[in-house]
């Protein structure tokens, strides 16, 4: 089954819940699949957090054929440069994520923020960070770790991935 996640919230609701400016984003909710567009939260020193639309799935490395929707190997030369620079990290809002045939959510936190990275290469795009010995799961962040992921040195932020808080 193809990877997917859902955001059952509008851009305004996402912005309010995750402390961002909707910045004119028109997202109304729905399922996101690789190659599809969805809002992510980026940060700038001047404007703080704001929503921007990006394609889910980073263009592949030179010999690759398919979009790359997940970051699994933090030490891969394909990702390491992007991960080292905090300005290329983002929060990926979601309400549900799919693993196999099942959908998962957190009833206590209906709008989740997942660790992601973004690129503006050929296509403005993003990928979701995953971890888990029993199979990749998105790295879900708690509100008190959002700024750590978005602004901290990679040596500090990496702990959120290696030992996810949720």
């Amino acid at each position: 089954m193809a990877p997917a996640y859902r955001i059952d919230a509008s851009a305004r609701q996402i912005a309010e819940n995750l402390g961002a400016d909707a910045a004119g984003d028109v997202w109304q909710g729905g399922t996101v699949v690789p190659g599809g567009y969805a809002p992510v939260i980026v940060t700038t020193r001047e404007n703080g957090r704001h929503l921007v639309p990006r394609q889910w799935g980073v263009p592949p490395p030179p010999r690759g054929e398919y979009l790359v929707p997940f970051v699994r190997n933090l030490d891969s030369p394909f990702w390491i440069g992007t991960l080292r620079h905090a300005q290329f990290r983002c929060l990926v809002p979601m309400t549900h994520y799919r693993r196999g045939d099942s959908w998962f959510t957190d009833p206590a936190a209906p709008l989740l923020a997942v660790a992601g990275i973004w690129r503006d290469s050929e296509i403005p795009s993003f990928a979701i960070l995953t971890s888990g010995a029993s199979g990749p799961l998105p790295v879900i962040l708690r509100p008190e770790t959002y700024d750590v992921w978005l602004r901290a040195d990679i040596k500090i932020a990496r702990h959120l991935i290696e030992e996810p808080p949720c």
Side-chain angles (χ1 to χ4, degrees), residues 137-152:
L137 293 172
V139 176
I140 300 169
L141 303 171
R142 293 187 307 244
E144 63 271 17
T145 64
Y146 295 169
D147 280 333
V148 173
W149 176 248
L150 292 171
R151 299 180 184 274

Side-chain angles (χ1 to χ4, degrees), residues 4-166:
Y5 69 93
R6 288 193 55 81
I7 312 174
D8 293 332
S10 68
R12 182 186 57 74
Q13 292 167 319
I14 295 166
E16 287 174 5
N17 266 298
L18 301 179
D21 177 4
D25 195 304
V26 295
W27 177 263
Q28 291 301 308
T31 300
V32 183
V33 296
Y37 281 80
V40 297
I41 297 172
V42 299
T43 189
T44 63
R45 289 183 188 183
E46 304 82 31
N47 301 323
R49 295 182 199 163
H50 58 278
L51 291 179
V52 294
R54 299 231 184 263
Q55 176 184 275
W56 183 25
V58 171
R63 288 187 284 253
E65 297 178 31
Y66 304 102
L67 293 174
V68 183
F70 299 109
V71 178
R72 293 185 174 112
N73 178 0
L74 302 181
D75 297 317
S76 166
F78 188 67
W79 300 118
I80 201 157
T82 304
L83 287 166
R84 284 185 182 150
H85 299 284
Q87 70 265 28
F88 295 117
R89 294 185 219 138
C90 63
L91 302 176
V92 181
M94 64 177 63
T95 54
H96 301 78
Y97 60 91
R98 185 166 62 197
R99 184 172 180 196
D101 292 334
S102 301
W103 286 91
F104 297 90
T105 191
D106 182 352
L111 186 60
L112 307 171
V114 173
I117 57 98
W118 63 270
R119 289 189 174 165
D120 268 342
S121 49
E122 305 90 53
I123 299 168
S125 57
F126 71 97
I128 294 172
L129 278 80
T130 63
S131 69
S134 62
L137 293 172
V139 176
I140 300 169
L141 303 171
R142 293 187 307 244
E144 63 271 17
T145 64
Y146 295 169
D147 280 333
V148 173
W149 176 248
L150 292 171
R151 299 180 184 274
D153 181 273
I154 190 59
K155 292 174 185 169
I156 297 168
R158 191 173 178 132
H159 293 290
L160 299 174
I161 304 159
E162 294 168 346
E163 300 172 24
C166 295

